[in-house]
Amino acid sequence: SLVEIPYTRYSSSSDNYYCIDDIIATCEKIPSKVEQPLFRLGFLDPSTDNTTIQPGTKLELPFWLASSLCTRRRRLVSVDMPKTYKDSFREILKADANVVDLHKIGPYYYSFGSKLLHFDHPEIGDIADSLLQGFISRFRRIMDSSQNAYNEDTTHLTCKLDESERCVFKAGQKGLDDFQRWQTGQ
Amino acid sequence: MFGEKALELIRELHRSTEGVLPPFNDEGIRQVLEEMRSLYEQNQADVSATVAGEQGLFSGVQLRHASLERDKRCLLAYLYNRLQKIRNMRWEFGSVLPADIKTNMSEQEVQWFTKYNKCLANYMRRLGDSGLDLTQDMQPPKS
Amino acid sequence: ENLETHLKNVTLRHMPRNLQSIDKDKTAPR
């Protein structure tokens, strides 16, 4: 069952260095705060003309950069969780996961969310649970709709799905298609 | 922000549909290599200044190094995934690719494709008694 | 070998010296 998916599988380093989806997912922004002066990098902070970014400055950094500057060994910046993974949004997902448009919010909601587990942040346990429960709650409807939509336009069924869910939907559709072709002797 | 040009190469490939090879983006690759050169030179300057006794430059060096690794990953992934598309087309269209695909391949990709063809042909020739064309019957024949 | 030659010819050899190698551990698909 899905509950056994080991969290340890999700590490910040990608499953596949060459994976295009992973590269795009890791450019999602993370609210960060500078902990040590960043000299000669003032251009990274649009709100200042200074060449140095002072400690305390808040920035939105892409995950690939934040994960390199905020490690257990070295905290040049500290990070906070993006609002779509914070408590208020997790409550919405818990209330009725099926109504949430994860494509608009994502489109790599689960993949990016799993990467957030890389950080040493008090909320990551709740985020991990929320990702799993959200996926499980939505899974049944994805499977049912992908198994019953034959030879019809499926846009309305997939428009709110995140990229991982679209892969599941596509796999279900392929299974259905193969079965139909087997039944008709093809 | 660093890495934007490199990400644009990846997005361009991500947008291309299955079975279509977008034109090789020479200019995009050149710009990313240019960014990497300037990041590297800035880091070398900061390291020399640190050796000369200046303080506090480490965080900038760390940030630029992460950007260099990111640019490198995007460039290699761009090339790698283009080759995956070309390889899939070999299995779909055979050893002579359609002209519209070939015009979008770089010279080095054509060289790669020629070598790949040769490797594949050598391998298939050794199968069974008189060789076996693996690219036929990709679906189990009815029999 | 074919892939590595291609990656080296097209980009790696134009990169800064300390980035011109391919890290097998990092790039192997898991």
Side-chain angles (χ1 to χ4, degrees), chain A residues 37-92:
Chain A
L38 294 175
F39 295 99
R40 300 184 192 157
L41 287 160
F43 62 87
L44 290 178
D45 177 9
S47 65
T48 173
D49 295 334
N50 212 327
T51 59
T52 300
I53 304 180
Q54 296 303 337
T57 305
K58 291 190 188 279
L59 287 173
E60 291 270 311
L61 293 178
F63 171 86
W64 62 266
L65 185 53
S67 61
S68 166
L69 301 181
C70 174
T71 62
R72 284 182 179 77
R73 212 158 32 101
R74 175 187 317 123
R75 289 170 74 86
L76 302 179
V77 303
S78 57
V79 297
D80 193 8
M81 294 295 108
K83 64 177 181 306
T84 48
Y85 296 89
K86 294 197 72 81
D87 191 37
S88 51
F89 191 83
R90 296 199 303 263
E91 284 307 310
I92 297 170

Side-chain angles (χ1 to χ4, degrees), chain A residues 42-176:
Chain A
F43 62 87
L44 290 178
D45 177 9
S47 65
T48 173
D49 295 334
N50 212 327
T51 59
T52 300
I53 304 180
Q54 296 303 337
T57 305
K58 291 190 188 279
L59 287 173
E60 291 270 311
L61 293 178
F63 171 86
W64 62 266
L65 185 53
S67 61
S68 166
L69 301 181
C70 174
T71 62
R72 284 182 179 77
R73 212 158 32 101
R74 175 187 317 123
R75 289 170 74 86
L76 302 179
V77 303
S78 57
V79 297
D80 193 8
M81 294 295 108
K83 64 177 181 306
T84 48
Y85 296 89
K86 294 197 72 81
D87 191 37
S88 51
F89 191 83
R90 296 199 303 263
E91 284 307 310
I92 297 170
L93 212 50
K94 193 186 289 181
D96 184 356
N98 282 301
V99 302
V100 177
D101 183 345
L102 284 190
H103 194 76
K104 189 168 73 180
I105 292 157
Y108 296 96
Y109 187 76
Y110 297 107
S111 162
F112 180 57
S114 320
K115 292 182 183 306
L116 295 177
L117 311 185
H118 155 87
F119 294 113
D120 196 8
H121 190 279
E123 292 186 57
I124 58 167
D126 296 332
I127 290 173
D129 289 339
S130 167
L131 291 173
L132 260 182
Q133 290 317 318
F135 189 87
I136 291 170
S137 322
R138 291 161 63 100
F139 185 78
R140 166 166 299 289
R141 181 173 296 194
I142 295 168
M143 283 311 294
D144 287 349
S145 56
S146 75
Q147 293 292 311
N148 293 296
Y150 189 59
N151 266 348
E152 68 176 78
D153 175 26
T154 58
T155 313
H156 64 294
L157 298 172
T158 58
C159 61
K160 291 188 175 178
L161 302 185
D162 113 310
E163 286 301 311
S164 319
E165 293 173 332
R166 289 186 176 189
C167 290
V168 171
F169 186 90
K170 211 167 149 186
Q173 285 274 287
K174 181 163 181 343
L176 176 65

Side-chain angles (χ1 to χ4, degrees), chain B:
Chain B
M1 169 55 71
F2 300 130
E4 297 289 344
K5 293 190 190 74
L7 184 65
E8 190 37 49
L9 281 175
I10 293 295
R11 286 198 192 278
E12 171 193 295
L13 201 50
H14 190 247
R15 281 191 296 266
S16 68
T17 47
E18 210 148 323
V20 172
L21 184 74
F24 187 74
N25 192 336
D26 262 311
E27 177 53 22
I29 288 181
R30 195 194 60 73
Q31 287 179 16
V32 176
L33 289 170
E34 179 55 31
E35 177 178 274
M36 291 181 77
R37 192 187 53 74
S38 111
L39 282 166
Y40 182 72
E41 282 172 4
Q42 184 60 59
N43 264 359
Q44 280 191 306
D46 279 10
V47 167
S48 312
T50 303
V51 168
E54 207 168 322
Q55 298 292 315
L57 296 177
F58 173 75
S59 37
V61 171
Q62 177 64 24
L63 189 142
R64 284 188 214 93
H65 186 70
S67 306
L68 278 163
E69 290 285 359
R70 174 71 177 186
D71 275 350
K72 173 178 176 179
R73 180 184 181 192
C74 289
L75 281 182
L76 295 186
Y78 176 74
L79 297 180
Y80 178 87
N81 285 281
R82 281 181 62 90
L83 292 186
Q84 295 302 301
K85 277 178 169 279
I86 294 168
R87 187 182 73 168
N88 294 340
M89 288 170 186
R90 166 64 182 87
W91 284 76
E92 189 166 340
F93 299 122
S95 57
V96 179
L97 294 178
D100 60 319
I101 301 285
K102 205 130 187 203
T103 47
N104 284 347
M105 286 163 67
S106 70
E107 184 195 320
Q108 291 92 344
E109 285 172 336
V110 171
Q111 287 167 19
W112 179 87
F113 183 69
T114 305
K115 283 187 208 166
Y116 180 76
N117 261 336
K118 207 172 292 172
C119 285
L120 186 59
N122 287 342
Y123 175 68
M124 295 197 290
R125 198 174 301 121
R126 290 205 309 265
L127 295 174
D129 305 333
S130 54
L132 176 68
D133 184 350
L134 294 174
T135 63
Q136 299 309 313
D137 289 332
M138 294 297 278
Q139 297 295 337
K142 192 162 169 53
S143 56

